Amino acid sequence: MKDLRRYLALKYIQYLVLSSSNAVSTFLGLLGSLYALIILQSAKVSSKSTAVLISSLAKADVLVTVSIVSEMLVQTLGVSILSPVFTSALLQNLLSANTHISCLLLSCVAFEAYLITFFPTDSRHFRTVKNARLTSRIIWILVIAECALFQADDLLKASSTSALTHSSYALWFHISSMAAALLRSLSYILGILLRIVNVYIYYKIFFSMDHQ
């Protein structure tokens, strides 16, 4: 569990402390996720809701791995099954999806830590493996849907705007563009709120333990 706590600390720094990811934090994050997945396979780690959330968090780095490997293939070998515009947008959207999934899962872990600290008995029926798996699935589905919308919007922007304006797809173009812009704004605001909430939660936990 100490190693998993260190892994969570690394992820909090990577996604909720640093303003943007860099090569060092990304590499350490990938190594940490691989190590966490290995630890979670051990019989010594009990199957609890926190372990389920951490496992889903570690698996989210698969999106980063796919993006990095694909970009390396495109740059070094010139291998691109899809169009360059589609590929470039997809790789960037995969990284964004990884960030959003990770931030939401980290916030779920923090909220669970808050419940364990202040409401250990009352919250026991909420902190189940079933609910953790359901929460992880919902987060993945919502973020993948967000990624699909961003991908469609990027492709529409890369297309001929003048041609779309005079076609029957003009309405869909404007709706998609407005929805993507609104969702990007909401994601940015939510990211700030999650940082504030996480700091508050661990501030409360730290001082509650300090006074015990």
Side-chain angles (χ1 to χ4, degrees), residues 100-153:
H100 294 169
I101 290 173
S102 298
C103 288
L104 289 171
L105 287 172
L106 286 170
S107 298
C108 289
V109 173
F111 181 65
E112 186 172 55
Y114 181 86
L115 292 178
I116 292 173
T117 304
F118 297 103
F119 309 100
T121 304
D122 296 337
S123 65
R124 186 171 298 171
H125 60 287
F126 290 111
R127 298 182 287 104
T128 62
V129 171
K130 181 180 178 180
N131 287 339
R133 288 174 178 167
L134 178 61
T135 301
S136 298
R137 290 194 191 101
I138 291 174
I139 289 174
W140 274 86
I141 291 172
L142 290 176
V143 176
I144 293 301
E146 175 196 60
C147 180
L149 178 60
F150 289 163
Q151 184 70 19
D153 181 57

Side-chain angles (χ1 to χ4, degrees), residues 14 32 57 61 76 96 135 157 176-177 203:
Q14 182 181 358
L57 173 66
D61 272 356
T76 59
S96 297
T135 301
K157 288 179 178 178
S176 175
S177 180
Y203 169 84

Side-chain angles (χ1 to χ4, degrees), residues 15 63-64 67 89-103 143 146-147 150 184:
Y15 292 109
L63 299 176
V64 179
S67 179
L90 179 61
L91 298 184
Q92 185 59 44
N93 288 326
L94 286 177
L95 293 177
S96 297
N98 166 260
T99 300
H100 294 169
I101 290 173
S102 298
C103 288
V143 176
E146 175 196 60
C147 180
F150 289 163
R184 285 189 171 95

